């Protein structure tokens, strides 16, 4: 079983090691509270939870002793109650009549403690049932898995494809489930609320793997059973969690729920197997008839293919040969814009449209775009994030069909939602209505041209799920490839020639994203933050509109890929010894202060790439670049409670920012004044002071 070390800080600021397990455990709160005094004048209360479901082997004594929680860390705070009696009454009122889930942990390798406690609900037999077993549950009533396409869910299981929606936070790979559940679209009389899946040749799945792309289940022949919530066992004994993608089922009822399993058809079409023929239409039209998405790019795609067709017996030139021809032809054309001329064009274009962007933000965005495969613009709604992406594309001289702004939907669960999937029943590839697959294919066929993709409000859904394939691919230096489907199927699909199994992603495609930070969005994991520049735009003052002078619209001749590539600088590591010392010192401070992830070699290499790509003679120097990278690459990872981060960052009684991070910046003031970093630290310190937490 895998554990990760999370440094925790007690009320008296003393650190203790906490080994936190993977997966969630079902529990019931005891009618017992004990007072504790972590330091003079501070009163806290301990409570205890008895586990009711499977525990990791290292937690073998957990059922005997129970798991300890602290009311100060469960939303109540310190000194919240007059005594144990009042604390117990409040605990029973809030949690006493329901099940809870929690993450089990070991403090100092011997004390059983809990983390991330959630109230989950109740069953009519919660006091009588014992020995609950966890069951992965995908979707919920009214919010079916994979947008209600239960056949797609079946195909994922049959083909060994990952199913999004289950992470190690909720499931321990050491356990294999007896069955899994998927919420389905109801078809009255023929398909109920849920479909259960289980292996037919064993009691449980042979293997469960939770990976970056989702959950994988292996177990030979696959069976299924349709069930609804009116089932006696479901209604009376099964807990469907409100805050976790899990069910908990008493062991004695697992066999009853699995009774009557039918084998899943080889094509995964359980709807047809149950006599359901009338279904919501899946929109698909031939690319030759009607284009799909992204400004009707397919007509131009088809036109290009026709114009560039070769006669029988001729061999189409290789991509490298095409690029070479382009580069040779450019020698006779007008001299391309220098990088500083392009930046002037970008600034003038913004001014001509009456857009207020800080000059520093425009330069920062340009450097990020050319040095990183993914640039994310952050900020409150209405600050011009997606508009900046379009503006950059216009400055490159790109037509609308090569600038794709893809609105992210909250229901997206895997890359099939943004790219499409292979329809095995009709033997055809069905592209997603985003048009992203068509755009990437067009970019592959025309490596001499630039393209921009922007995932707008990309944290409305969990990017780690729908963006999983891109996360892995975009950091590859050589031959990054996006897979649409299994290559063995390409020759069998009717439109396999139009939609090949794999698409090469060249550096002529710029990937960007925008995020809003509010209650409707998900927080990015370190997996995303490590691979992207996260830029928060400066909002200019409204009064500047009155004095801003509109520039004349600049000449928007197109920037070719070869020309844009000339702006990029590569090579060996160029970070100085002093800069490396700064990163080491900062890393030590973060690690000792309890920040997970810290600074890895990937981040250091990307910072180096950013710094060597700062244009010359533009008023944006290496000092400013280092400051921006500290904010965009590192400070985004500082999140947690005031208790945890107090040694790193806090506000003094006079409102001054203090802590180890400020001392590190002061010690390396010869590298930069770190103006942006100090502003970011102040904002986080104020959040900690106001809310006791920062994200």
């Amino acid at each position: 079983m895998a554990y990760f070390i999370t440094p925790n800080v007690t009320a008296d600021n003393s650190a203790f090691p906490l080994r936190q397990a993977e997966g969630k455990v079902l529990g019931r709160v005891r009618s017992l509270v004990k007072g504790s005094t972590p330091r003079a004048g501070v009163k806290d209360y301990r409570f205890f939870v008895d586990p009711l479901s499977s525990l990791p082997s290292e937690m073998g004594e957990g059922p005997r002793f129970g798991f300890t929680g602290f009311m100060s860390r469960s939303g109540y705070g310190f000194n919240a109650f007059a005594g144990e009696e009042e604390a117990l009454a409040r605990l029973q009122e809030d949690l006493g009549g329901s099940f809870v889930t929690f993450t089990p942990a070991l403090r100092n390798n011997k004390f059983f403690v809990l983390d991330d406690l959630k109230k989950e609900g109740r069953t009519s037999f919660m006091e009588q049932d014992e020995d609950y077993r966890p069951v992965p549950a995908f979707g919920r009533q009214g919010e079916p898995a994979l947008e209600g396409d239960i056949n797609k869910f079946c195909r994922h299981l049959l083909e060994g494809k990952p199913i999004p929606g289950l992470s190690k936070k909720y499931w321990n790979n050491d356990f294999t489930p007896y069955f899994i559940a998927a919420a389905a679209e109801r078809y009255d009389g023929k398909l109920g609320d849920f479909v259960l899946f289980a292996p037919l040749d064993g009691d449980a799945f042979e293997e469960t793997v939770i990976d970056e792309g989702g959950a994988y289940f292996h177990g030979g022949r696959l069976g299924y059973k349709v069930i609804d919530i009116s089932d006696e066992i479901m209604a009376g004994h099964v807990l469907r969690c409100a805050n976790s993608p899990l069910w908990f089922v008493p062991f004695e009822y697992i066999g009853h729920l699995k009774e009557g399993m039918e084998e899943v058809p080889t094509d995964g079409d359980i709807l047809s197997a149950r006599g359901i023929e009338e279904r919501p239409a899946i929109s698909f039209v031939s690319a030759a008839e009607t284009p799909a998405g992204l400004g009707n790019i397919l007509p131009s795609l088809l036109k290009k293919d026709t114009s560039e067709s070769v006669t029988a017996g001729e061999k189409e030139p290789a991509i490298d040969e095409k690029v070479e021809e382009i580069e040779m032809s450019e020698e006779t054309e007008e001299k391309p814009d220098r990088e500083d001329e392009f930046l002037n064009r970008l600034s003038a274009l913004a001014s001509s449209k009456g857009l207020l962007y800080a000059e520093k933000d425009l330069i920062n965005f340009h450097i990020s775009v050319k040095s990183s495969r993914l640039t994310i613009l952050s900020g409150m709604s209405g600050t011009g994030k997606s508009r900046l992406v379009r503006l950059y594309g216009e400055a490159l001289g790109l037509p609308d069909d090569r600038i794709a702004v893809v609105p992210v939907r909250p229901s997206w669960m895997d890359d099939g939602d943004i790219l499409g999937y292979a329809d095995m029943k009709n033997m055809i590839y069905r592209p997603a209505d985003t048009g992203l697959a068509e755009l990437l294919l067009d970019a592959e066929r025309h490596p001499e041209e630039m393209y921009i993709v922007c995932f707008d409000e990309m944290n409305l859904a969990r990017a780690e799920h729908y963006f999983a394939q891109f996360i892995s691919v975009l950091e590859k230096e050589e031959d990054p490839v996006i897979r649409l489907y299994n290559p063995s199927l390409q020759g069998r699909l009717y439109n396999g020639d139009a939609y090949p199994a794999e698409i090469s992603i060249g550096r002529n495609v710029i990937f960007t994203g925008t995020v809003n930070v509010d209650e409707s969005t998900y927080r990015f994991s370190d997996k995303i933050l490590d691979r992207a520049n996260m830029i928060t735009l400066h909002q200019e003052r409204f009064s500047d509109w009155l004095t801003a002078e509109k520039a004349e619209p600049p000449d928007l001749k197109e920037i070719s890929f070869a020309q844009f590539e000339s702006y990029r600088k590569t090579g060996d590591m160029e970070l100085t010894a002093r800069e490396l010392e700064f990163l080491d010192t900062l890393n030590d401070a973060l690690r000792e202060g309890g920040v997970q992830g810290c600074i890895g070699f990937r981040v250091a290499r990307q910072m180096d790439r950013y710094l060597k790509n700062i244009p010359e003679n533009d008023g944006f120097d290496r000092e400013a670049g280092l400051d921006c990278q500290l904010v965009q690459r590192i400070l985004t990872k500082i999140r947690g409670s005031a208790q945890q981060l107090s040694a790193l960052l806090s506000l003094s009684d006079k409102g001054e920012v203090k802590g180890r991070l400020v001392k590190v910046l002061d010690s390396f003031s010869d590298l930069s004044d770190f103006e942006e970093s100090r502003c970011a630290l102040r904002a986080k310190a104020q959040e900690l002071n106001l809310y006791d937490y920062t994200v």
Side-chain angles (χ1 to χ4, degrees), residues 93-104:
E93 178 185 349
D94 292 346
L95 302 174
S98 301
F99 289 109
V100 297
T101 56
F102 63 92
T103 301

Side-chain angles (χ1 to χ4, degrees), residues 58 61 71 74 97 113 168 177 185 269 271 280 306 352 383 391 454 475 489 499 525 560 570:
E58 288 82 353
E61 292 294 314
M71 300 190 72
S74 302
V113 297
K168 292 181 180 180
E185 195 76 40
D269 191 351
L271 294 181
T306 302
S352 69
T383 52
L391 185 78
C454 175
E475 66 174 325
L489 299 175
Y499 294 96
S525 67
S560 68
T570 58

Side-chain angles (χ1 to χ4, degrees), residues 206-277:
E206 297 174 357
E207 184 184 24
T208 302
V209 178
I210 310 298
D211 210 340
E212 290 185 359
Y216 299 79
F217 301 94
H218 307 285
R221 290 191 309 135
L222 187 66
Y224 79 99
K225 178 183 178 180
V226 175
I227 196 166
D228 59 50
I229 59 173
S230 63
D231 178 273
E232 181 180 351
I233 296 172
M234 278 285 298
H237 301 275
V238 176
L239 174 71
R240 293 179 285 129
C241 291
N243 295 294
S244 301
L246 297 172
W247 291 2
F248 285 93
V249 182
F251 180 69
E252 62 180 300
Y253 297 110
I254 287 178
H256 295 290
L257 288 174
K258 293 174 62 178
E259 285 179 353
M261 286 270 178
E262 304 175 55
E263 187 168 2
V264 173
T266 55
D267 61 357
D269 191 351
I270 67 172
L271 294 181
S272 293
R274 300 190 65 83
I276 301 171
E277 299 299 335

Side-chain angles (χ1 to χ4, degrees), residues 311-368:
T311 60
E314 292 183 355
K315 185 177 181 181
E316 188 178 5
I319 290 177
D320 291 344
E321 294 174 350
K322 290 182 180 179
V323 174
E324 185 177 353
E325 292 173 5
I326 293 163
E327 291 176 344
M328 290 178 62
S329 66
E330 287 183 347
E331 294 178 1
T332 61
E333 296 178 356
E334 184 180 353
K335 184 178 179 181
D337 287 349
R338 299 193 311 270
E339 187 172 11
D340 58 344
E341 293 174 341
F342 169 74
L343 287 171
N344 290 336
R345 179 201 298 191
L346 177 63
S347 179
L349 181 61
S351 178
S352 69
K353 294 179 177 293
L355 301 173
L356 293 177
Y357 290 109
E359 195 74 19
K360 187 175 182 179
D361 284 343
L362 296 178
I363 298 171
N364 185 19
F365 181 71
H366 170 67
I367 302 171
S368 298

